[in-house]
Amino acid sequence: MGSVYVLTLRQLSGRWRLVIMSVLASMPVLMAAMLVRSDRAPSVEEFELVVLSGMLAGAVLPLVVLAVASTAFANEVEDRTLANLTLSPIPRWHIVVPKLLAAVSVSGPFVALSAFLTSYVAYNADLTATFAVTVSALAGVALYSSAFVWLGLVTTKAIGIGLFYIVLWEGYFAGFVSGIRILSVRYHSIALMHGLDGRRFAEENTLSVGFAVGASIVVFAGFLLLSIRRLRRMDVP
Amino acid sequence: MTKGPVEGTVFDIGYQNYAGPREGRNRARLAVFKDGVRTSLGLGRGARAKILPWFFIALLAMIALIMAMVAGAVNRLGGPEAAAQLPSHSDYYGIASIIFFVFAAVGAPELLCPDRRDGVINLYLVRPLTGTDYVAARWSAFFTVMLATAWVPQVILLIGLTMGDPDPKAYFLTNWLDVPRFLASGIPLAAYATTLALLTAAFTTRRAYASVFLVGLFAITTPFTTGLAMEIGGTVGQWISMFNLSNIPVHVNDVIFGEVSVITREAPAAELSAWILVGWFFLWTLGPGGILWLRYRRLAV
Amino acid sequence: MTTNGVATVIRVDHVSRWFGSVVAVSDVTFDITPGITGLLGPNGAGKTTLLRMITGLAGVSDGSVTVFGQPVRDNPPLYGRIGVMSEHETVYGFMKGRDFVRMMGRLKGVTDLEAAVDKAIGFVDLADAAQRPMGTYSRGMRQRMRLAATLVHDPEILILDEPLNGADPRQRVHFQVLLRQLAAEGRTIVLSSHILEEVELLADTVLLIVNGKLAASGGFRAIRAALDERPYHVLVVSDSPRELASAVVQLDSVDAVNVDPDGTIVVLSRNVRDLQVELPRLAQSASISLRRVEPLDDSLESVFGYLAEG
């Protein structure tokens, strides 16, 4: 598994890719820093809506993970190098799990650092709130990674479908139809954040923490199992 | 014994040279253009290639249809005055812009990235085609698709609003100016989306990274500039608001319609003069267009 | 299971594969035993699809493929005994050649890894370039390093799809020697190639695939002999071609005689064994000197041509 993990880390860690992820991840931090210094500080609800939900959970987190996780397998399929791995006498989960771990390892630090600094700055070094935001962001990374790794394995249109899900389903339609939040990784992460520190965040929340935790486990495990199943059954190019 | 040169004979076995007309550079440009249109819409390919582009087109059309149906229902229940308050042609591009940009982000890389990645671009450039011809043809193809995608939902909305009015003829005669307006404002939207999407695709051979980068750019600049502009306020805030990349063509739409749309209503940049807004659009379309052209101009086999 | 007393290593049993309405492989059955088996066919015949099903990379629509008596599909432990080199040339460009071979060896569970890597890279004569990223390699070098990665775990079965693409003549000869050596050690090698001369030189058995069907199998001379509806073409050069032609055409073993303008005659015969005896007798009795007698279609190329092109 180590070989697959190291290989995938190298495949996903291009220099320009890391630069762009750094720039994206720094935007919520800059935003938080500017809002804290301004005379007209936003309310708790405004900050959560615009920065935490809009920028961090709604844009930075899912887009960074999409670019990384969906290409963990998709690039190998496109380059026709996946057979190097599948023609090895190892269980298929020995290929899928390190790919997923590598995707999380590449995107996780950027998102975690972004979430940590954003909340540290915004909540005046309140470690409980910072912990809540960071852990829920990492949970989001794990969930999105599991889903997008699977998506990259099943279709060559992973990016289009992923962007539709992130931008339109979670970002656009969820604003009109609140029930969509039940089927949204973004709102599960937000719910986890509320569960870890209810003091700091807006009172209104459509998902219960228990539901979010349970659904997150099901989503993560479900997509992981689907990826393993897919790798066993697919025709490898 | 020294042998002299061996004589050879060519037998006529029916092979014939092509004796028809040979078209030159324009024909090559047209071929690249047509291929670009077909690629963007998944035409001439399997069913799977059609799913995404036609899904986005259907989604955009559906939004227009819903707007028309809601307006019709409100008209019946609350009268024309109530229906007139609802979003209409002037608001459509602002409402649908994010879907439009995602479609562009997903579709444009298909035109440029695979050719460079697979080395097929060399096959184009050994023809009477320059790098400029190639990228111009690709740009034109995608622009055509974007323009059609922008116009068709507006036409659906027009039909829906007209038919939904108790007096369709009177409605059309009163609002016929919306037609040239939405046709005109579709052009900057299509040109802007096409140029930015192709520019990001020109810098990578992986479609995925081009798509995500462009969407990330829009998704991040929107809340960032909006929040910052509101905090700082004043003229500086207005100019910061101008860097909300997803609003740039929508401001031009507002200039054409002569009214601020629901999307740009709260944007400080909407208070700036029409010349500034239109000039800014040209800067953000021609500038990236120039970089795109430079990127391909020097390509040679 | 055995074939002619030799243990069957790969069994393809009534295998078909279709993609939508396109049938790529249609009801193919054959056994592969140790030695070198050449897989031939025109472009689009279904060779690669067949190889992919044999290696488990693609599933079958009908029938079964077994290797060492076990289903090959979704059977990872079996892959430790198989080495596969596909026709695709893409490699991890950022990775050094040695690192690639080492990684493949590790994935295959090789124990004495460094020694195996050294041996495999030595086989393909790329020790000098092994520390460079493969993105800097020429096409031939990439192919050879991929071959090294295929051999690193010392597999019992080798499946090679167009392995000599980009190889220069010296490397081809070296590869031929290597393959014969591996086959002599009892390995099973399946080789798909367009280079008929090489398959003719190397392969003990030939499988000819045309339009997804198995058109012929066996040694190519035996296949040729089985094509009894096709007369053999035998070139005869003599000092009296027309006189010889008028005499030869009367033989029972001869179907037809063509006289070329340059004075050579081509005899068409379905019974070359009898022709072999009768022709010299006829020439002697007519006092005609035979200068050259040569079969024109005793080659894999001609067999391929007859079966693939009709």
Side-chain angles (χ1 to χ4, degrees), chain B residues 152-225:
Chain B
V152 164
Q154 287 275 28
V155 170
I156 292 172
L157 181 59
L158 175 71
I159 294 171
L161 290 175
T162 306
M163 306 289 270
D165 195 273
D167 187 351
K169 186 178 166 189
Y171 174 85
F172 186 78
L173 288 173
T174 310
N175 297 286
W176 70 271
L177 273 174
D178 281 344
V179 177
R181 284 177 184 146
F182 73 63
L183 290 176
S185 55
I187 295 170
L189 178 66
Y192 178 78
T194 299
T195 307
L196 284 188
L198 286 178
L199 179 64
T200 52
F203 282 89
T204 177
T205 54
R206 296 276 193 195
R207 292 164 294 176
Y209 302 137
S211 301
V212 172
F213 178 75
L214 186 68
V215 172
L217 204 62
F218 284 124
I220 297 295
T221 56
T222 299
F224 190 78
T225 55

Side-chain angles (χ1 to χ4, degrees), chain C residues 258-273:
Chain C
N258 293 328
V259 182
D260 288 338
D262 62 359
T264 59
I265 65 174
V266 176
V267 179
L268 278 65
S269 168
R270 286 173 213 270
N271 189 350
V272 286
R273 197 181 291 271

Side-chain angles (χ1 to χ4, degrees), chain A residues 1 3-4 7 10-11 76 79-92 232-237, chain C residues 17 19 52 55 57-59 73-74 76-77 79-80 84 88 90-92 94-95 99-100 103-104 106-108:
Chain A
M1 289 212 285
S3 299
V4 179
L7 169 70
R10 293 187 69 179
Q11 287 174 316
E76 298 245 35
D79 294 345
R80 297 176 187 264
T81 52
L82 184 57
N84 290 331
L85 304 181
T86 59
L87 287 172
S88 302
I90 54 178
R92 303 299 84 169
R232 290 177 59 196
R233 292 174 181 227
M234 66 184 280
D235 284 356
V236 177
Chain C
R17 177 65 203 244
F19 301 97
R52 282 165 49 75
T55 54
L57 288 174
R73 183 80 167 152
D74 195 18
Y79 296 140
V84 179
H88 304 302
T90 41
V91 293
Y92 302 114
F94 57 85
M95 199 179 272
D99 292 343
F100 174 59
M103 181 185 79
M104 296 308 295
R106 196 173 283 129
L107 285 172
K108 300 284 193 182

Side-chain angles (χ1 to χ4, degrees), chain C residues 120-255:
Chain C
I121 292 177
F123 259 144
V124 300
D125 196 23
L126 273 178
D128 292 339
Q131 291 300 341
R132 281 171 29 205
M134 288 192 291
T136 64
Y137 287 0
S138 68
R139 190 176 168 202
M141 290 167 76
R142 283 200 300 272
Q143 284 290 88
R144 283 153 63 198
M145 196 55 84
R146 288 176 62 230
L147 182 60
T150 306
L151 296 172
V152 69
H153 60 297
D154 208 22
E156 295 163 68
I157 300 174
L158 275 175
I159 311 288
L160 308 170
D161 197 348
E162 307 283 353
L164 291 174
N165 279 348
D168 64 36
R170 190 177 68 90
Q171 288 154 8
R172 286 179 188 280
V173 170
H174 179 68
F175 179 73
Q176 288 165 15
V177 168
L178 168 67
L179 275 193
R180 284 200 205 94
Q181 182 186 326
L182 291 170
E185 291 171 3
R187 289 168 219 269
T188 304
I189 301 172
V190 182
L191 173 73
S192 169
S193 176
H194 286 115
I195 304 169
L196 299 179
E197 294 83 9
E198 285 180 346
V199 175
E200 191 173 340
L201 272 174
L202 286 170
D204 310 311
T205 309
V206 164
L207 297 169
L208 191 52
I209 307 290
V210 179
N211 289 332
K213 294 186 198 299
L214 185 64
S217 69
F220 79 86
R221 287 204 168 85
I223 297 172
R224 179 63 186 89
L227 291 170
D228 47 7
E229 77 277 12
R230 300 248 184 197
Y232 285 86
H233 290 58
V234 181
L235 176 79
V236 182
V237 179
S238 67
D239 57 1
S240 299
R242 289 198 174 271
E243 192 182 337
L244 180 63
S246 64
V248 162
V249 78
Q250 294 173 54
L251 292 174
D252 290 337
S253 59
V254 170
D255 288 359

Side-chain angles (χ1 to χ4, degrees), chain B residues 11 24 50 62 95 114 117-118 124 133 204 206 233 246 256-258 261 293-294 299:
Chain B
F11 298 99
K50 295 178 177 61
M62 184 101 45
I95 291 169
R117 180 161 192 79
D118 300 335
Y124 285 104
D133 291 335
T204 177
R206 296 276 193 195
S246 53
I256 291 171
F257 276 93
S261 70
W293 170 62
L294 283 173
L299 275 184

